[in-house]
C-alpha cells in the first residue's frame, strides 16, 4: 500500500508589495509561467509516488496565476500522483481576485480567503489591494459558484486597534457564516517591510495584555457561534457534530505527523524520515530546476528530532499529543517535564492525550520549549 501524503504548492506571488508578507511582487506573465513550468518539472524530478489525500495551493497568492496555468498544474498533479477521490483541494485567494467562473474545470473544493480585517483603514496599513466590501462580494461569488467550504483569515494586534475594533471584525466574519476561521496576531517577521517599519519607529507592537484579551474574546465569540476551537489559531463550524467536519484536513496533516510534499521556492517536505527544503530565492529555484537539479537541502529525522516535531505540532491541537505513539523514553521525558504544568492547570491528560488547557494556550510557546528534548 502506498504512503498517503499531503501536497503543498508554494506560489510566492503578490499583486502588490504587502508590508506583512514581503512576497515576490510581479506583473510579469512570462515569469509566472516559467515558475509554473518549474513546479511541474520539480514534481517530475521528485522520486515520491504517494497517494495524495490533500492538495493546497498557497503562498503568496495562487489566485494571481492565470486559469490556464492553474489548469496545467492540476493536470500535472493528477498525471503524476494518485489523488484520493475524497481529497480536500484548497486554494488561497485574495478577495479581489475572486470572480465568477474562476474555478471552472478546476478540482478546487475549498478556498482560504485572506480577508485579514473588515476595516479599510487597516487594510491600507497592510497595503492590501482589496477593500472590506470586496470580502463580502467574494464570499457571495464563491457560494454562487458552488464552493461553500470557505475559510476566512483574520488578523489582530494592529497598531491602534481597540478591543471594539477587533470584536467588530470577528462578528462580521461570523455573520458571513464561513465553515472555517483562522486568526493570527500581527507578527513582525524579520526581513519584511513591516519589521523595518517597527525598527524605524513608524509603528509599534500591541500591548501584550490587550493582545491576550483579544484572543480570549475571539475564542468566546466563536464558541458562542458554534465553532470548534480545534487548533491554537483555527476554528471550524461544528455543524451539529461534536467534532467539526470542516477542520482543515491539509493543515491537520502537519499537526498529526502525516508526510507532506512541498513544491516550489521555499517549500518544505517531510517524507520517509527526512525533511528537505527548497531555497527561498525564486530565480535560484527556477535555474536549478531548469538544469535538471533538485535544489533542496536535506536532513534525516532522528527519534529526538521527531519527538520535538510532535511537541511543536500536535500540542497545538485540541487533542494534543497521543502518548501511545511515543516510545517509552520520550513518553517519560514528556510527562516528567509536563508534571508542573499539569499541576498548575495549564495542561491536562485525557484519553491518553496530553493537551494544553485554555490557560495553557496563552503560554504555549514557553511550554513547548520546556517539553522539547534539546
Amino acid at each position: 500500500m502506498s504512503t498517503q501524503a499531503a501536497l503543498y504548492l508554494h506560489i510566492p506571488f503578490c499583486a502588490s508589495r504587502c508590508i506583512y508578507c514581503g512576497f515576490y511582487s510581479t506583473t510579469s506573465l512570462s515569469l509566472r509561467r516559467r515558475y509554473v513550468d518549474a513546479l511541474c518539472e520539480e514534481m517530475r524530478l521528485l522520486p515520491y509516488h504517494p497517494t495524495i489525500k490533500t492538495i493546497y495551493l498557497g503562498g503568496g497568492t495562487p489566485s494571481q496565476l492565470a486559469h490556464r496555468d492553474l489548469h496545467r498544474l492540476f493536470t500535472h498533479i493528477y498525471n503524476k500522483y494518485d489523488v484520493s477521490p475524497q481529497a480536500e483541494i484548497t486554494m488561497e485567494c485574495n478577495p479581489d481576485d475572486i470572480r465568477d467562473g474562476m474555478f471552472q474545470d478546476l478540482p478546487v473544493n475549498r478556498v482560504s480567503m485572506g480577508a485579514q480585517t473588515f476595516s479599510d483603514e487597516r487594510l491600507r496599513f497592510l497595503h492590501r489591494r482589496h477593500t472590506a466590501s470586496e470580502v463580502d462580494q467574494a464570499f457571495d461569488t464563491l457560494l454562487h459558484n458552488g464552493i461553500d467550504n470557505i475559510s476566512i483569515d483574520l488578523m489582530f494586534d494592529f497598531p491602534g486597534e481597540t478591543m471594539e475594533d477587533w470584536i467588530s471584525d470577528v462578528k462580521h466574519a461570523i455573520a458571513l457564516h464561513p465553515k472555517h476561521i483562522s486568526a493570527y496576531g500581527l507578527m513582525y517577521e524579520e526581513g519584511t517591510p513591516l519589521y523595518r517599519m517597527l525598527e524605524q519607529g513608524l509603528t509599534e507592537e500591541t500591548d501584550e495584555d490587550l493582545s491576550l484579551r483579544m484572543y480570549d474574546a475571539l475564542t468566546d465569540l466563536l464558541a458562542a457561534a458554534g465553532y470548534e476551537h480545534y487548533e491554537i489559531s483555527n476554528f471550524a463550524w461544528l455543524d451539529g457534530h461534536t467534532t467539526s467536519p470542516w477542520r482543515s484536513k491539509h493543515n491537520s496533516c502537519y499537526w498529526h505527523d502525516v508526510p507532506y510534499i512541498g513544491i516550489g521556492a521555499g517549500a518544505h517536505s517531510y517524507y520517509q524520515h527526512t525533511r528537505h527544503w527548497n531555497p527561498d530565492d525564486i530565480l535560484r529555484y527556477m535555474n536549478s530546476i531548469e538544469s535538471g537539479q533538485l535544489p533542496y537541502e536535506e536532513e534525516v529525522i532522528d527519534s529526538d528530532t521527531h519527538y520535538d516535531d510532535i511537541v511543536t505540532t500536535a500540542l497545538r491541537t485540541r487533542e494534543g499529543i497521543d502518548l501511545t505513539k511515543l516510545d517509552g523514553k520520550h513518553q517519560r521525558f514528556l510527562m516528567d517535564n509536563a508534571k508542573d504544568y499539569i499541576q498548575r492547570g495549564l495542561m491536562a491528560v485525557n484519553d491518553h492525550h496530553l493537551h494544553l488547557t485554555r490557560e495553557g494556550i496563552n503560554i504555549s510557546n514557553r511550554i513547548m520549549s520546556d517539553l522539547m528534548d534539546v
Side-chain angles (χ1 to χ4, degrees), residues 120-242:
D120 285 334
E121 179 184 358
R122 291 192 287 277
L123 287 170
R124 285 192 294 270
F125 170 78
L126 288 176
H127 293 191
R128 297 302 294 260
R129 290 177 301 145
H130 72 272
T131 62
S133 64
E134 286 178 308
V135 178
D136 295 349
Q137 295 165 15
F139 199 93
D140 289 342
T141 299
L142 288 172
L143 294 178
H144 177 73
N145 281 259
I147 295 181
D148 65 347
N149 190 356
I150 304 169
S151 178
I152 285 181
D153 284 355
L154 293 179
M155 191 178 292
F156 58 99
D157 285 350
F158 286 94
E161 184 180 22
T162 66
M163 179 64 76
E164 291 73 22
D165 293 333
W166 173 233
I167 289 174
S168 175
D169 268 359
V170 177
K171 287 184 175 179
H172 193 139
I174 290 171
L176 291 174
H177 202 64
K179 296 296 194 296
H180 190 277
I181 294 175
S182 299
Y184 307 92
L186 185 69
M187 297 290 291
Y188 293 83
E189 298 284 351
E190 192 169 351
T192 63
L194 183 59
Y195 184 81
R196 290 192 290 274
M197 288 174 62
L198 182 67
E199 287 184 312
Q200 295 164 8
L202 300 176
T203 186
E204 60 182 8
E205 296 182 83
T206 301
D207 174 77
E208 184 177 356
D209 179 66
L210 175 58
S211 180
L212 289 174
R213 288 191 290 114
M214 286 180 169
Y215 183 80
D216 283 341
L218 168 77
T219 55
D220 288 340
L221 287 166
L222 291 181
Y227 285 83
E228 177 193 28
H229 189 188
Y230 74 99
E231 193 270 348
I232 288 177
S233 301
N234 288 275
F235 305 78
W237 185 43
L238 280 165
D239 201 9
H241 298 78
T242 54

Side-chain angles (χ1 to χ4, degrees), residues 7 9 11 29-44 55 57 65-81 91 102 104-108 286 289-290:
L7 180 66
L9 277 72
I11 319 290
L29 182 61
S30 61
L31 187 142
R32 293 180 192 180
R33 290 196 171 155
R34 181 184 170 196
Y35 186 74
V36 169
D37 288 343
L39 294 176
C40 293
E41 180 64 10
E42 183 182 5
M43 282 186 268
R44 190 190 71 80
I55 301 171
L57 274 66
L65 294 181
H67 185 276
R68 60 174 284 186
D69 292 325
L70 290 169
H71 189 274
R72 180 163 178 243
L73 277 177
F74 280 115
T75 299
H76 201 87
I77 290 169
Y78 277 80
N79 285 338
K80 163 80 177 186
Y81 301 109
M91 192 164 104
M102 69 179 291
Q104 186 176 355
D105 300 324
L106 299 178
V108 174
M286 292 189 298
I289 293 294
E290 288 164 357

Side-chain angles (χ1 to χ4, degrees), residues 288-307:
S288 180
I289 293 294
E290 288 164 357
S291 69
Q293 300 296 317
L294 290 168
Y296 60 71
E297 296 182 59
E298 186 177 62
E299 68 171 334
V300 176
I301 306 299
D302 61 25
S303 62
D304 288 342
T305 303
H306 186 223
Y307 164 80

Side-chain angles (χ1 to χ4, degrees), residues 1-9 49-57 74 77-78 81-90 107 109-110 149 247-261 270-271 325:
M1 182 180 295
S2 65
T3 301
Q4 287 198 327
L7 180 66
Y8 173 73
L9 277 72
H49 295 88
T51 297
I52 299 299
K53 61 184 299 184
T54 71
I55 301 171
Y56 195 104
L57 274 66
F74 280 115
I77 290 169
Y78 277 80
Y81 301 109
D82 177 20
V83 180
S84 168
Q86 293 78 41
E88 174 194 85
I89 304 175
T90 304
N109 53 32
R110 182 176 184 270
N149 190 356
R247 293 182 176 191
S248 168
K249 294 181 175 62
H250 183 84
N251 288 340
S252 293
C253 289
Y254 299 148
W255 302 322
H256 293 110
D257 204 31
V258 175
Y260 54 88
I261 299 171
Y270 164 62
Y271 198 82
K325 293 186 176 180

